[in-house]
Amino acid sequence: MDNPYTIYFGGSLFNHKDLTGNALLAEHIETCSNYKYRCCLPQNAEQHQTTARDIRNQDIAKLIECDLGLFNFDGTELDAGVVVEFMLAKFLDIPAVILRSDFRTCGEKEIGGEDWNFMCSFYPRTRVVGFNAIASYQEAVDQSHTLSQTINIYYTRIARQVVESLDGVLKEKPLLESDQNKLKTLYQWALTFPGGGIDKLISNPNFVDQTIAAKIKKELA
């Protein structure tokens, strides 16, 4: 696809399992969608920055620029960084898919919530892909003869669910209906309120205008 939709990967990336899992899922999402989607993994960005602030600013800027977001909501407690990224995406009305493969519950399902704190639920233009990672993995093992076959079956199954949800959330109408003035105000504020010099990271003075124009062209904003 000449102009693929870009997906920001929001998830843990601090150990070898997360890093390889993110990379494998990204690859399978791209191939299963016939490259309709291109995944942007923060772990693949140059981490030559010397401070946590610089890394944070780079991730925020990339999230703002991307067309959609995929957020990993695993764990009995959600990763704090992922929650911040998800809330920023919702502040900007960026279409999002939440991925949860952890079978453990820790939310408020008994009162109509999800498997996480309800303050992270009920947002528009958001889909949820939920499955039992262990059960799905064991099914893949039973259907294969080698580890590589298991990995391919496992991640293909996950990727197809994610792609289906990405396709679905793309069809939902933007909240601001291409109101460029309001969009510009939102995006400029998203580059202002975090502080920490994030505005200095953006060398292109037309970054906001170009980002909004590209999303409007794709009917995302």
Side-chain angles (χ1 to χ4, degrees), residues 88 96 99 115 143 158 185-186 199:
L88 179 57
L99 178 63
D115 285 325
Q143 296 169 10
I158 301 170
T185 298
L186 278 178
D199 54 329

Side-chain angles (χ1 to χ4, degrees), residues 4-8 37-40 65-69 218:
Y5 296 97
T6 53
I7 306 171
Y8 181 86
Y37 299 109
R38 179 172 64 83
C39 300
C40 299
E65 188 177 19
C66 281
D67 298 323
L68 304 100
K218 292 180 176 179

Side-chain angles (χ1 to χ4, degrees), residues 8 12 18-20 30 35 47 55 65 103 106 109 111 131 133 138 141 148 171 175 190 194 200 209 213 215 219 221:
Y8 181 86
S12 298
D18 291 333
L19 292 167
T20 54
E30 291 178 351
Y35 300 95
Q47 297 292 337
I55 295 173
E65 188 177 19
F103 69 88
C106 58
K109 273 199 166 183
I111 57 173
F131 65 98
Q138 291 173 340
V141 169
S148 61
K171 297 176 182 177
L175 297 181
K200 298 177 183 178
D209 289 332
K215 293 187 179 186
E219 299 182 347

Side-chain angles (χ1 to χ4, degrees), residues 141-173:
V141 169
D142 291 340
Q143 296 169 10
S144 58
H145 300 286
T146 66
L147 177 59
S148 61
Q149 288 179 340
T150 299
I151 291 172
N152 184 58
I153 292 170
Y154 185 60
Y155 279 99
T156 296
R157 184 176 297 152
I158 301 170
R160 285 173 176 167
Q161 294 181 69
V162 171
V163 169
E164 181 179 356
S165 290
L166 289 169
D167 289 345
V169 81
L170 277 178
K171 297 176 182 177
E172 298 184 25
K173 291 184 178 181

